[in-house]
Every structure is written in structure tokens, then in C-alpha cells.
Amino acid sequence: MDAELELPAFAAVENLRAAGLTVATAESCTGGMVAALLTGVPGASAVFRYGWVTYCNAAKQQELHVPAATLDQYSAVSEPVVAAMAESALSQAGADLAIAISGNAGPTKGAENEPPVGTVCLALARKGQPTRTETLFLPGMHRAAFRRAVTAHALNRIAQAAG
């Protein structure tokens, strides 16, 4: 396990376990890193339900039922899309929490309507509560560093939500 990401992954699993909560992940730009780090923690099977890596828009539509109209109107890197991803993951997994991530790690911009390189959107869905979304802008980062920073942020969000 990555030493710098180990602590937030352990904190997330321990907080989930202590609160009696389960989690699901719906990832795009992080490529499953959040799920891999969570499941790298001993005892994660008690809290981790499912993980989706929906890198392309077709996968977001087919696996997480994100409406094509939402993707067309807002782009894959948007708060409405990650909210739809998180809510679908929460429902399909039967989890208590779900985190969704979609961003542009670069080095080049994707579709014309997408925000600039370095933009990432996250959503945290929790049973019985409104879905919380946020957009971060991390310009000038190498692709690997961007993915690591976003993964650490997501793990911290899970730990905070469960704590």
C-alpha cells in the first residue's frame, strides 16, 4: 500500500467500522485507487460493499444510470454527474455511504464542454441525507500526482463522513 495514502485509508475503514457503516465507490479519473486503498486495509470486507470504475460516459450511463442528458448538458466532470454517480452507487450497493469522483487529470483537455485540466468533482451520498458535492481545481499537477491528491481527498471525505 502507498505509505502516504495508507493513513487516510485506515482512518476511513476504522471510522466506517466504528460507526457500523458501509461504503461504495464510483470512480472515473482515479481509476479505482480509492477502492484499492480501502480494500488494502485489513478488515475492509466489513465495510466495503462495491466499487465501480466508469471511465467513459457510456459506462457511467450503463453501470451507474447517469442520464445521457445530464452528461450532455453538464459534461462528465461536473457536480450533477458525480451526484448521479454517487446516488446510483449508494442505491445499487445497498451501502450507507457512496463517494463518486470524476475529473480531468490531463495533460490535455477532453471534450469541448469539459472544464480545464486539473478540475475534479466529488460527491458524497449518504442514506437519508442530501448528497454533498464539491469541485476542486488542482492546476499544473502531473497526472499521477493529481490522481493521488484526489484519492487522498476522497479517503479523507469518507473518514470525515463516517467519523
Side-chain angles (χ1 to χ4, degrees):
M1 188 180 289
D2 185 313
E4 289 181 39
L5 297 174
E6 188 173 276
L7 184 59
F10 272 89
V13 169
E14 288 306 311
N15 287 0
L16 288 162
R17 186 184 347 228
L21 300 172
T22 57
V23 68
T25 60
E27 302 178 66
S28 186
C29 66
T30 50
M33 289 175 67
V34 174
L37 283 153
L38 288 171
T39 59
V41 176
S45 60
V47 300
F48 187 83
R49 300 283 298 152
Y50 290 82
W52 287 264
V53 177
T54 55
Y55 205 72
C56 68
N57 286 353
K60 288 173 181 65
Q61 291 173 22
Q62 292 168 11
E63 299 298 319
L64 293 172
H65 315 294
V66 176
T70 304
L71 286 158
D72 290 343
Q73 182 176 355
Y74 298 103
S75 92
V77 182
S78 67
E79 291 185 19
V81 167
V82 292
M85 291 169 63
E87 290 163 5
S88 179
L90 184 75
S91 174
Q92 289 189 69
D96 300 301
L97 299 169
I99 192 142
I101 305 157
S102 187
N104 186 347
T108 59
K109 187 176 175 186
E112 187 175 314
N113 68 334
E114 282 190 6
V117 171
T119 304
V120 63
C121 297
L122 296 96
L124 184 72
R126 186 170 183 160
K127 275 186 183 175
Q129 294 183 12
T131 299
R132 293 181 292 165
T133 60
E134 64 181 315
T135 299
L136 305 174
F137 187 53
L138 307 169
M141 295 181 86
H142 181 273
R143 185 176 180 85
F146 175 86
R147 292 176 71 216
R148 288 171 50 81
V150 172
T151 297
H153 187 78
L155 290 167
N156 285 324
R157 284 289 185 245
I158 295 167
Q160 291 167 356

Short mmCIF file of all heavy atoms in Angstrom, two decimals, residues 33 105 141-150:
data_model
loop_
_atom_site.label_atom_id
_atom_site.label_comp_id
_atom_site.label_asym_id
_atom_site.label_seq_id
_atom_site.Cartn_x
_atom_site.Cartn_y
_atom_site.Cartn_z
N MET A 33 -8.49 3.73 -7.56
CA MET A 33 -7.50 3.88 -6.50
C MET A 33 -8.14 3.94 -5.12
O MET A 33 -7.60 3.39 -4.15
CB MET A 33 -6.63 5.12 -6.73
CG MET A 33 -5.67 4.98 -7.89
SD MET A 33 -4.75 6.51 -8.26
CE MET A 33 -3.74 6.69 -6.79
N ALA A 105 -7.55 14.78 -15.38
CA ALA A 105 -6.17 14.71 -14.90
C ALA A 105 -5.16 15.20 -15.93
O ALA A 105 -3.99 15.38 -15.61
CB ALA A 105 -5.84 13.26 -14.50
N MET A 141 -0.57 20.01 -12.03
CA MET A 141 -0.07 18.78 -11.41
C MET A 141 0.16 17.71 -12.48
O MET A 141 -0.61 17.61 -13.44
CB MET A 141 -1.06 18.24 -10.38
CG MET A 141 -1.26 19.14 -9.19
SD MET A 141 -2.41 18.43 -8.00
CE MET A 141 -1.27 17.43 -7.05
N HIS A 142 1.21 16.94 -12.31
CA HIS A 142 1.41 15.77 -13.16
C HIS A 142 0.24 14.82 -12.93
O HIS A 142 -0.34 14.79 -11.84
CB HIS A 142 2.74 15.10 -12.77
CG HIS A 142 3.07 13.91 -13.58
ND1 HIS A 142 2.62 12.65 -13.27
CD2 HIS A 142 3.81 13.80 -14.72
CE1 HIS A 142 3.07 11.80 -14.18
NE2 HIS A 142 3.78 12.46 -15.06
N ARG A 143 -0.12 14.07 -13.94
CA ARG A 143 -1.28 13.18 -13.88
C ARG A 143 -1.28 12.28 -12.65
O ARG A 143 -2.28 12.14 -11.95
CB ARG A 143 -1.32 12.36 -15.17
CG ARG A 143 -2.52 11.49 -15.34
CD ARG A 143 -2.45 10.80 -16.72
NE ARG A 143 -3.59 9.95 -16.91
CZ ARG A 143 -4.77 10.37 -17.36
NH1 ARG A 143 -4.95 11.65 -17.65
NH2 ARG A 143 -5.76 9.52 -17.51
N ALA A 144 -0.17 11.66 -12.36
CA ALA A 144 -0.09 10.73 -11.21
C ALA A 144 -0.28 11.49 -9.90
O ALA A 144 -0.96 11.00 -8.99
CB ALA A 144 1.24 9.99 -11.22
N ALA A 145 0.32 12.66 -9.79
CA ALA A 145 0.18 13.45 -8.57
C ALA A 145 -1.26 13.92 -8.39
O ALA A 145 -1.79 13.93 -7.27
CB ALA A 145 1.13 14.66 -8.60
N PHE A 146 -1.91 14.29 -9.48
CA PHE A 146 -3.32 14.69 -9.44
C PHE A 146 -4.17 13.55 -8.92
O PHE A 146 -4.99 13.73 -8.01
CB PHE A 146 -3.75 15.11 -10.86
CG PHE A 146 -5.21 15.43 -10.98
CD1 PHE A 146 -5.67 16.71 -10.70
CD2 PHE A 146 -6.12 14.48 -11.41
CE1 PHE A 146 -7.01 17.03 -10.84
CE2 PHE A 146 -7.46 14.78 -11.54
CZ PHE A 146 -7.92 16.06 -11.26
N ARG A 147 -3.98 12.35 -9.47
CA ARG A 147 -4.78 11.20 -9.05
C ARG A 147 -4.55 10.86 -7.58
O ARG A 147 -5.48 10.52 -6.85
CB ARG A 147 -4.47 10.00 -9.95
CG ARG A 147 -4.96 10.22 -11.37
CD ARG A 147 -4.57 9.08 -12.30
NE ARG A 147 -5.36 7.91 -11.95
CZ ARG A 147 -4.92 6.67 -12.00
NH1 ARG A 147 -3.69 6.42 -12.38
NH2 ARG A 147 -5.71 5.68 -11.68
N ARG A 148 -3.32 10.98 -7.12
CA ARG A 148 -3.01 10.71 -5.71
C ARG A 148 -3.67 11.75 -4.80
O ARG A 148 -4.23 11.41 -3.77
CB ARG A 148 -1.49 10.70 -5.47
CG ARG A 148 -0.78 9.48 -6.04
CD ARG A 148 0.74 9.63 -5.96
NE ARG A 148 1.20 10.03 -4.65
CZ ARG A 148 1.37 9.22 -3.62
NH1 ARG A 148 1.13 7.94 -3.75
NH2 ARG A 148 1.79 9.68 -2.46
N ALA A 149 -3.60 13.02 -5.18
CA ALA A 149 -4.19 14.08 -4.37
C ALA A 149 -5.70 13.91 -4.28
O ALA A 149 -6.30 14.07 -3.21
CB ALA A 149 -3.84 15.45 -4.96
N VAL A 150 -6.33 13.58 -5.39
CA VAL A 150 -7.78 13.39 -5.41
C VAL A 150 -8.16 12.16 -4.57
O VAL A 150 -9.14 12.19 -3.81
CB VAL A 150 -8.29 13.27 -6.85
CG1 VAL A 150 -9.75 12.88 -6.88
CG2 VAL A 150 -8.06 14.59 -7.60
#
